[in-house]
Amino acid sequence: MSTTSYNCTNEEQRAEGLAHAQKAIAAKQTVVMPTDTVYGIAADAFSPQAVATLLASKGRGRSMPPPVLIPRIGTMEGLAVDIPDDARKLAEKYWPGPLTIIFHAQPTLTWDLGETKGTVALRVPDDQLALDLLTLTGPLAVSSANRTGQPAAQTGSDARSQLGESVEVYLESGFRPLEGTEPIPSTIVDATGLRLRVVREGAISLAEIKTMIPSALGADVEPEMWVPSNLSSPDAAEVSEVAQIPDAADASDETDTSEEADAAAEVTDGDRDAVKPAQDGPSEV
């Protein structure tokens, strides 16, 4: 593998970097890109091989699956099922932004993010370079661009010092967040229960969320579980028993203005290729 870094503050290198990153993702390789929180290592969310490469680069196992970054709210409809109205309200207000929402995953999709227990953590990052890449590639599994246990990378060069040649493309675009500021992770909301539950407070506080959703629970309250309506097998309750919560150390990796919910059916060309029926059956920025 020949690793290449691009200075994306230069328009010519930005275009070259995005094109190279798109090809790398299509080839099941990994890339490093900025998000609105920290830098993330990204891979095709629908390629088990690519996700395995991402996890190996970080030195982590399948028990810590990465969240998935998407380019727009509408993509959520193809990846999750039984989306609660309250979760949709939060997405409309805070996406793009530092909010990760855990949903019951669409069971017809061909992906393997690890031991997710039938859930997926989604986020739309508030970073134009990240959004441009996601528009080209479709959904990406993204985890903080660092070795597990090490500080999250705030620049592309920081990420390269930890991940080295395991990454095909590094997209450098300055500090994330601003130089001299500490990264604040995204807030994680579990939407797989009867009520929304803030399982980790980050950039958005529980108090702020409760101004919109008064029924929202805090992390110290036991969740009230339910079974997705499209799951009818005897083991369905086991599938929804525990939502997979992204690893707290990496949930800051990563997740324009938000689009209306009635645009939910819109899917990019990259998304359309990725969102396809399974043939054999079926968290961080």
Side-chain angles (χ1 to χ4, degrees), residues 157-179:
S157 59
D158 286 347
R160 187 164 185 171
S161 68
Q162 296 190 53
L163 302 176
E165 300 297 310
S166 67
V167 173
E168 172 72 9
V169 176
Y170 287 87
L171 300 178
E172 174 69 75
S173 188
F175 278 83
R176 294 294 190 281
L178 296 175
E179 184 174 5

Side-chain angles (χ1 to χ4, degrees), residues 35-52:
T35 76
D36 46 335
T37 53
V38 293
Y39 275 72
I41 177 173
D44 181 359
F46 296 89
S47 168
Q49 175 186 330
V51 173

Side-chain angles (χ1 to χ4, degrees), residues 178-192:
L178 296 175
E179 184 174 5
T181 61
E182 290 295 323
I184 301 176
S186 65
T187 292
I188 304 174
V189 173
D190 182 0
T192 64

Side-chain angles (χ1 to χ4, degrees), residues 208-226:
E208 184 175 349
I209 287 176
K210 286 179 76 68
T211 63
M212 284 188 65
I213 314 294
S215 63
L217 305 173
D220 57 341
V221 180
E222 287 299 315
E224 300 163 287
M225 294 302 177
W226 63 287

Side-chain angles (χ1 to χ4, degrees), residues 208-248:
E208 184 175 349
I209 287 176
K210 286 179 76 68
T211 63
M212 284 188 65
I213 314 294
S215 63
L217 305 173
D220 57 341
V221 180
E222 287 299 315
E224 300 163 287
M225 294 302 177
W226 63 287
V227 178
S229 61
N230 69 320
L231 295 180
S232 58
S233 69
D235 296 327
E238 294 182 14
V239 174
S240 64
E241 183 179 348
V242 181
Q244 178 62 49
I245 299 171
D247 175 52

